[in-house]
Amino acid sequence: MASMLGLAQGTARGGVPSARIAVYKVCWSDGCNEASILAAFDDAIKDGVDILSVSISESVSKTNIHFKDVLSVGSFHAMKHGVLTVLSAGNTGPYPKSLQNYQPWAIIVGASTLDRKFVTKVKTGNNIAYEGISLNTFDLKGKYYPIIYGGDAAKKRPGFDQDSSRNCLTNLMQEQAYIDMAISFPLPACYLQSKDVVKIHTYIRSTSFPTATIFKTIELKDSLARIVAFFSSRGLNNVTSEILKPDLIAPGVDIIASWSPISPISEIFSETRKLKFNIISGTSGAAAYIKSFHPTWSPAAIR
């Protein structure tokens, strides 16, 4: 019965349920300090960890070389002590050569979709329905509300310019990125494809009192899965071109995950919902699972 308010309901199981987790904090609001990262590698090795999972990445260019990159140095040091490091490919996809980690002695993991997708429908006052994507847990019960184009909001509020209001940074927005990843908002919301946004904008201009409603999200089977997630960084390897990276992809989109009930389920202003499970992006588990069966295997053997 694990779910996010009924979404993705089922039995939740971790990659390695018996694993114990140690967390080494190296990133703060102003970034990730290189000295802190290397100190965390040293502390983890000293503590006797089996696997290091490092979801940190940075921009890569042809000028990057392994012995000047802090994650390369740290993961190489760990490898020499028998500890495998797993690094994220990065979130700068879908462009070629957007890979942000490339270390030959580490496992670099990209993100793939699952065979489920979350669909949210929007219906306008002229009785036309549009299908988008979000994690909308709010039930408007089919009631229609007035709708405006964000760019017009500045006309009603002194002190705001149209360029700022049309982006709707706090509330609703239409977007073309992350089209395969459902996002949660603290109010009814839905990402729509640009072609549908144009149609809705035309409808808004066609009547003096445009209305719309947003339905609760439903879960469907994704017949196209699995594919590489839109945001996941792609190869080739900019630093060592003869070594193919990422090493593998793993499910990393719309994952049901245990969640601290004292933490809001999104970072968006005014979020108040507190849950024991959330739907987020992220990968996990396979290397630790193998290590649990083969505790003497080297990082290279596991990779």
Side-chain angles (χ1 to χ4, degrees):
M1 299 302 291
S3 75
M4 177 190 173
L5 297 174
L7 294 174
Q9 185 168 298
T11 300
R13 181 189 186 280
V16 188
S18 62
R20 287 172 292 180
I21 299 173
V23 179
Y24 303 83
K25 185 170 177 63
V26 301
C27 296
W28 305 86
S29 59
D30 58 349
C32 308
N33 182 270
E34 291 189 348
S36 297
I37 293 173
L38 290 176
F41 273 104
D42 286 341
D43 287 345
I45 293 166
K46 183 180 178 181
D47 291 343
V49 303
D50 297 295
I51 300 287
L52 277 163
S53 176
V54 184
S55 291
I56 300 173
S57 57
E58 60 183 357
S59 298
V60 175
S61 69
K62 291 185 182 294
T63 59
N64 286 75
I65 46 180
H66 293 301
F67 57 81
K68 287 190 175 181
D69 172 67
V70 65
L71 293 177
S72 293
V73 173
S75 59
F76 186 85
H77 186 56
M79 181 268 293
K80 287 181 65 178
H81 287 79
V83 179
L84 173 65
T85 301
V86 181
L87 292 156
S88 58
N91 296 329
T92 53
Y95 310 105
K97 296 186 178 181
S98 55
L99 192 68
Q100 294 184 284
N101 280 308
Y102 47 83
Q103 296 76 3
W105 40 82
I107 293 181
I108 312 301
V109 185
S112 71
T113 61
L114 285 168
D115 61 351
R116 69 176 171 219
K117 63 179 178 180
F118 297 103
V119 171
T120 305
K121 291 185 178 181
V122 175
K123 195 172 187 179
T124 49
N126 58 351
N127 205 35
I128 298 178
Y130 302 92
E131 187 176 284
I133 184 171
S134 68
L135 293 169
N136 179 39
T137 62
F138 301 98
D139 189 0
L140 297 180
K141 302 186 184 302
K143 182 179 177 180
Y144 285 81
Y145 290 85
I147 182 174
I148 65 167
Y149 167 59
D152 294 337
K155 301 175 183 177
K156 303 176 183 294
R157 295 291 299 272
F160 289 89
D161 64 274
Q162 187 176 21
D163 190 56
S164 295
S165 69
R166 71 184 181 86
N167 285 302
C168 296
L169 296 180
T170 300
N171 294 319
L172 302 174
M173 74 292 292
Q174 65 93 10
E175 182 60 87
Q176 297 189 59
Y178 301 142
I179 55 176
D180 51 14
M181 184 175 70
I183 298 176
S184 179
F185 299 92
L187 76 174
C190 175
Y191 276 92
L192 294 171
Q193 295 184 31
S194 294
K195 63 181 180 65
D196 292 332
V197 172
V198 170
K199 295 175 183 177
I200 292 178
H201 191 265
T202 300
Y203 161 69
I204 291 173
R205 293 284 185 257
S206 71
T207 177
S208 58
F209 191 68
T211 60
T213 190
I214 302 176
F215 295 95
K216 286 185 70 174
T217 297
I218 60 173
E219 182 180 343
L220 299 177
K221 188 83 169 179
D222 187 357
S223 60
L224 298 179
R226 303 179 177 178
I227 60 172
V228 179
F230 182 91
F231 61 83
S232 189
S233 296
R234 267 64 164 175
L236 296 172
N237 187 336
N238 262 341
V239 179
T240 312
S241 59
E242 63 271 25
I243 298 177
L244 294 179
K245 293 287 179 176
D247 295 281
L248 52 90
I249 58 172
V253 176
D254 297 341
I255 305 297
I256 188 77
S258 57
W259 196 256
S260 170
I262 65 172
S263 178
I265 65 171
S266 77
E267 297 179 359
I268 301 175
F269 174 75
S270 79
E271 178 63 79
T272 59
R273 290 169 295 172
K274 306 291 181 69
L275 303 175
K276 291 184 177 180
F277 288 91
N278 197 2
I279 295 173
I280 58 174
S281 64
T283 57
S284 132
Y289 187 68
I290 294 172
K291 181 78 172 181
S292 70
F293 286 98
H294 304 283
T296 63
W297 277 17
S298 69
I302 295 173
R303 190 171 70 251

